[in-house]
Amino acid sequence: MSQPVACANCGAMMVPQWDGRVHACPYCKTQVQVAISGDQIAAGMALDLANVDVFLSRLAQTLYQGFSEHTKIEANGTYVISIEVNLEPDVFMVRREGNHAQAHHKKVVRGVALRTRAVALDVWVQMLTDALAEHANTNARAAWVLGQLGGRR
């Protein structure tokens, strides 16, 4: 999932630690913090944009496990109707419309929505994963949760 990192001190390949952001050299014990990218998160989520049921279910499950304090999920049993992720100043909303999903992005400042716009689903996923990566790069718990995506344990 992450790119190999060479130790700046001795040149050996560093080993990712528990949160995925810190890499440690097994030889000289040097540590370095690297950023998590939106592409890494998207790969870990492995979202299927062609199937709205699988897409919404997988996204809801992932966000509920790691970001429940930032996520509102409207569901009827396992049937997910809508998801809202609040990572101020960005709010991401996706809602089921028949066999399709409608995605929206909202810019919020101090609780006031400045702009809301409809976004293509693939663009919305990229924007969401980039915002999640930015959040993870400032929050160790979020980084750990994202490190668990895609079977990395």
Side-chain angles (χ1 to χ4, degrees):
M1 185 181 244
S2 65
Q3 297 293 329
V5 176
C7 177
N9 190 40
C10 72
M13 295 313 290
M14 299 182 92
V15 178
Q17 300 302 293
W18 68 273
D19 70 353
R21 296 187 308 164
V22 176
H23 286 65
C25 178
Y27 302 103
C28 68
K29 308 301 181 205
T30 299
Q31 291 190 350
V32 66
Q33 181 172 325
V34 296
I36 294 174
S37 73
D39 293 337
Q40 289 173 300
I41 295 169
M45 285 185 178
L47 298 174
D48 178 8
L49 301 180
N51 184 331
V52 71
D53 292 325
V54 173
F55 166 73
L56 289 174
S57 176
R58 174 81 172 147
L59 182 62
Q61 177 186 16
T62 300
L63 292 171
Y64 178 76
Q65 287 176 346
F67 298 94
S68 59
E69 67 276 8
H70 298 282
T71 306
K72 292 180 190 172
I73 300 169
E74 182 184 348
N76 186 0
T78 59
Y79 186 79
V80 177
I81 299 165
S82 69
I83 301 170
E84 181 177 314
V85 183
N86 186 346
L87 297 169
E88 279 198 34
D90 297 299
V91 177
F92 300 92
M93 302 158 294
V94 64
R95 183 167 198 74
R96 178 187 299 272
E97 299 288 337
N99 291 331
H100 303 287
Q102 292 290 328
H104 292 85
H105 174 255
K106 185 182 341 181
K107 275 291 187 191
V108 176
V109 175
R110 296 184 192 135
V112 177
L114 300 179
R115 180 180 68 186
T116 302
R117 64 184 174 120
V119 181
L121 195 56
D122 60 336
V123 172
W124 182 87
V125 168
Q126 183 64 50
M127 291 170 67
L128 174 64
T129 55
D130 287 345
L132 289 170
E134 184 177 327
H135 181 70
N137 288 323
T138 59
N139 182 310
R141 180 180 165 272
W144 178 82
V145 168
L146 293 173
Q148 302 307 301
L149 296 175
R152 264 186 66 207
R153 303 227 190 278

